[in-house]
Amino acid sequence: MTRSPNKLIPSDFTPVPALGTACDVEAVADFDATLDAVALLVAPGTDLVDTVGLGEEALAAAGFDASPGSSLVVARDGHPVVLVGLGDVADLDADKLRDAAAAAARATAKKGGRIGVEVPELGLDAATVGQVLAEGALLARYRYSVLKAEAKEVPLELLELKVAGADAAAVTAGIAVAEITVRATLVARDLANTPPGHLTATDIAEVAAELGAEYGFEVESFDKAQLIEMGCGGILGVNAGSAEEPRLVVLTYTPAGEVTGHLGLVGKGIMYDSGGISLKPSDPMHLLMKMDMGGAAAVLGAFTALRDLGTTAAVSGWLTCTDNMPSGSAYKLGDVLTCRNGKTVEIKNTDAEGRIAMMDGLALAVEAGVDAIVDIATLTGAALMALGKSRAAVLGNDQGMVDRVTAAAKATDEPVWQLPLERKYRKQLDSDVADISNLGGPHAGATTAALFLDEFVAGTPWAHIDIAGTMATDADDAWRSAGATGFGARLLATLAADFRS
C-alpha cells in the first residue's frame, strides 16, 4: 500500500490484519489430545459425573447453574475443561447458541489458541449449529492488536466442534458458511478500528482493490479531479476542509450464471468526523469518529462474501469516502452544495455531513438502474438515543425492502427496528435558498435524516440502516468484541445472497 512520506507508518502495515490470522475449524467425533482447553456447553439439570466428576448438586455448590453465559473451569486429568451454560434447551435458538459459543471462546482465551467446543444433542439443524458455533467462537476471540508491541490475547489457531447426534458433513457445511460470514465481519471491524491517520479515503480505495482481486469483485475509484467532472458536490463539499483527497469507491459483483436482480448498496465512508466548522466536543464519542466510516466498512466486508455465498444477483456498491475537517477552506453553514443529480442543498450544520456525502452515492445508484437500494451509515445520534447500542434503526420508502432487511437482520442476529418515515416532518428540511437543507428540527432526527436521503433515491425501492448506536461496544458482549462490531456486514451479505428482483 502506498504511504505518505509524512506519516511514520510501517510500509507493511495492513488495515485488515485479521485476514492474515487463519484458524482451522473442524467438525470432529473426538477431540485432539493436544488441545489447550475444551468447553462443554451445558443445559440445566445436566449430570457431568462421567465427564468431569461433578453432579448437579456439586455444580450448583460451585456456583454454576448452566444459565446462559455462565461458566466454570474444572480439571479433567490435568486438562482444563470449561463448562458454559446454555440455559433451557427448550428455549434455545441459533442466536443463543451463537452467544454460548462466544462465551466458550472467551472463557478459554487464557488457556491457549487450540480449543474444542462440545455440544449436546439439541434438535437443531446441524448445518445451522455448525455455522453459529463457528461464528460465535471466531467473532468473540477477535482482537485488534496490530499496533501493539506485544499482544496479550492468544489468537485462535484451531477450533474443533463436537456436536452430539449431528451429521458431521452438515456441520462442516455450516462451518464453511461461517468462515465466509466471519471474514466479512472481521474486514469491517478491522477497517473501523484502524486509526484515521492509518486509513484515509485513498487508503480504503487501495484496500478495496486488493480485496476485490482476492474475492471476486471489481473495484473502481474516483479521485478529486474526477469527482469534480462528475459533479459530486456532496463528497467534494464535505472534503473541502481536508488535506486528504476524497475517494468514491465503486464495487461491482457480477454472478457467474443467470442474474436474478441488481442490488445497490451505499455506505457512508467518513474516515474521520471532526464535525467540521460545527466542531464536535472533545469527548469519548469524538474519539469514536474514526468509526464514522462503519457503513462503508460493512459494505466492503459484505462484498468479500458474495462470490463464496453463491450470490446470484448483481450487486453494486458506492462508498462515499472523505474525512470532515475544519480549516480555512472548509464548507460553511449557509453554503449551498449541488448533488450529482442537480439537487441543491443548503448547509445548516456541517456535522450533518454523512447524508451530504451519501447523496451522490444514492444518485449514482439510481443512474445505474438498480432494482433496489440499501444504504448503511453511522448517521444520527437520534438513532442511538432511541434504540441504544444493541439495535439499529431501519427506515425506507418500500415495506418490502424494509422487510428484507429485517429478515436478514434476524438471521444474523444483527437486530434492527423499523422507525417511521413520517413524511409530515419533511417540511423541517425546507430551505429558503436551495431545494432542501441538510438539517431538520430538534426532534425525530433519525427520521428527518432518512427523509433527506429519500430525496435522492428517485422512488427506487430503498431501505436505510442507521448504525450509529451499533457500530461499537465498550466491552465484550456475546459475539461482539470490544471496539468496532462490524455490524451490518453479515446482514448485507445475507440480504444480497437472498436477493431477487
Side-chain angles (χ1 to χ4, degrees):
M1 180 179 294
T2 303
R3 288 291 175 190
S4 167
N6 298 321
K7 293 180 181 177
L8 296 178
I9 301 173
S11 59
D12 61 350
F13 172 80
T14 173
V16 282
L19 294 182
T21 56
C23 174
D24 292 328
V25 187
E26 303 172 1
V28 299
D30 294 295
F31 289 127
D32 190 297
T34 65
L35 293 180
D36 297 313
V38 169
L40 305 182
L41 304 191
V42 181
T46 300
D47 192 332
L48 296 173
V49 171
D50 292 339
T51 306
V52 295
L54 296 175
E56 185 178 354
E57 291 184 4
L59 291 172
F64 178 73
D65 60 2
S67 60
S70 62
S71 63
L72 176 68
V73 180
V74 297
R76 180 174 63 182
D77 299 328
H79 192 72
V81 176
V82 180
L83 308 182
V84 176
L86 278 172
D88 190 346
V89 173
D91 297 329
L92 190 67
D93 59 15
D95 293 344
K96 293 176 181 176
L97 186 58
R98 185 188 290 107
D99 289 351
R106 289 210 181 92
T108 57
K110 294 182 179 180
K111 310 301 179 184
R114 297 166 55 84
I115 69 170
V117 177
E118 183 172 341
V119 185
E121 191 164 353
L122 300 173
L124 298 176
D125 174 71
T128 299
V129 170
Q131 179 179 344
V132 299
L133 287 176
E135 285 180 342
L138 295 174
L139 291 173
R141 286 287 286 267
Y142 168 88
R143 287 291 183 270
Y144 185 81
S145 57
V146 67
L147 295 174
K148 292 184 177 181
E150 185 175 343
K152 296 180 180 179
E153 298 81 9
V154 178
L156 273 182
E157 299 173 10
L158 174 65
L159 173 64
E160 293 187 344
L161 303 179
K162 183 178 178 181
V163 184
D167 177 65
V171 175
T172 298
I175 290 170
V177 173
E179 290 175 330
I180 300 165
T181 60
V182 166
R183 179 176 69 216
T185 298
L186 298 190
V187 166
R189 286 182 180 180
D190 274 350
L191 292 171
N193 278 324
T194 300
H198 287 63
L199 185 67
T200 65
T202 304
D203 293 333
I204 199 171
E206 293 185 19
V207 172
E210 294 170 4
L211 294 175
E214 179 71 20
Y215 298 111
F217 57 94
E218 297 178 4
V219 178
E220 188 175 9
S221 63
F222 298 85
D223 63 18
K224 184 175 182 178
Q226 291 170 304
L227 290 171
I228 292 172
E229 292 181 6
M230 294 166 65
C232 291
I235 300 173
L236 291 165
V238 177
N239 179 254
S242 177
E244 298 285 349
E245 276 220 356
R247 286 293 184 271
L248 171 69
V249 185
V250 182
L251 316 176
T252 305
Y253 165 77
T254 305
E258 180 182 354
V259 178
T260 58
H262 188 185
L263 175 65
L265 302 177
V266 178
K268 173 186 171 184
I270 303 300
M271 310 308 294
Y272 184 78
D273 180 21
S274 71
I277 297 298
S278 304
L279 192 67
K280 293 179 182 291
S282 183
D283 59 17
M285 182 54 72
H286 196 154
L287 177 64
L288 289 178
M289 286 302 98
K290 68 177 183 178
M291 299 183 187
D292 210 20
M293 37 64 70
V299 172
L300 184 50
F303 263 77
T304 69
L306 299 180
R307 179 193 64 192
D308 294 341
L309 288 178
T311 304
T312 57
V315 187
S316 299
W318 290 265
L319 313 183
T320 55
C321 300
T322 177
D323 46 10
N324 181 29
M325 300 296 288
S327 76
S329 61
Y331 78 130
K332 300 166 284 293
L333 280 71
D335 276 348
V336 173
L337 305 179
T338 303
C339 177
R340 161 77 177 182
N341 67 1
K343 191 180 291 288
T344 57
V345 180
E346 180 187 11
I347 303 304
K348 292 185 176 180
N349 189 317
T350 65
D351 196 23
E353 85 300 326
R355 66 200 72 179
I356 297 296
M358 291 172 68
M359 67 184 183
D360 290 325
L362 294 170
L364 288 163
V366 171
E367 289 182 31
V370 297
D371 297 316
I373 302 171
V374 176
D375 78 71
I376 184 166
T378 51
L379 205 62
T380 67
L384 168 62
M385 295 301 291
L387 300 176
K389 292 191 171 185
S390 295
R391 192 174 291 267
V394 61
L395 305 93
N397 66 0
D398 181 88
Q399 190 59 45
M401 279 309 300
V402 171
D403 290 344
R404 290 188 189 198
V405 168
T406 302
K410 181 175 178 58
T412 55
D413 192 28
E414 295 190 334
V416 300
W417 190 265
Q418 184 175 4
L419 297 180
L421 193 71
E422 179 53 71
R423 297 192 181 277
K424 287 183 179 180
Y425 300 156
R426 167 60 182 82
K427 61 185 178 182
Q428 296 182 30
L429 298 169
D430 286 347
S431 167
D432 293 333
V433 298
D435 295 322
I436 192 172
S437 69
N438 76 324
L439 193 68
H443 307 299
T447 295
T448 55
L451 285 167
F452 178 90
L453 298 176
D454 178 60
E455 293 283 318
F456 300 90
V457 300
T460 304
W462 157 77
H464 157 65
I465 308 171
D466 190 332
I467 58 171
T470 58
M471 70 177 181
T473 179
D474 297 331
D476 291 340
D477 174 24
W479 57 266
R480 303 161 191 83
S481 296
T485 61
F487 188 103
R490 290 187 297 120
L491 188 164
L492 293 176
T494 300
L495 173 74
D498 295 336
F499 184 77
R500 304 290 186 276
S501 62

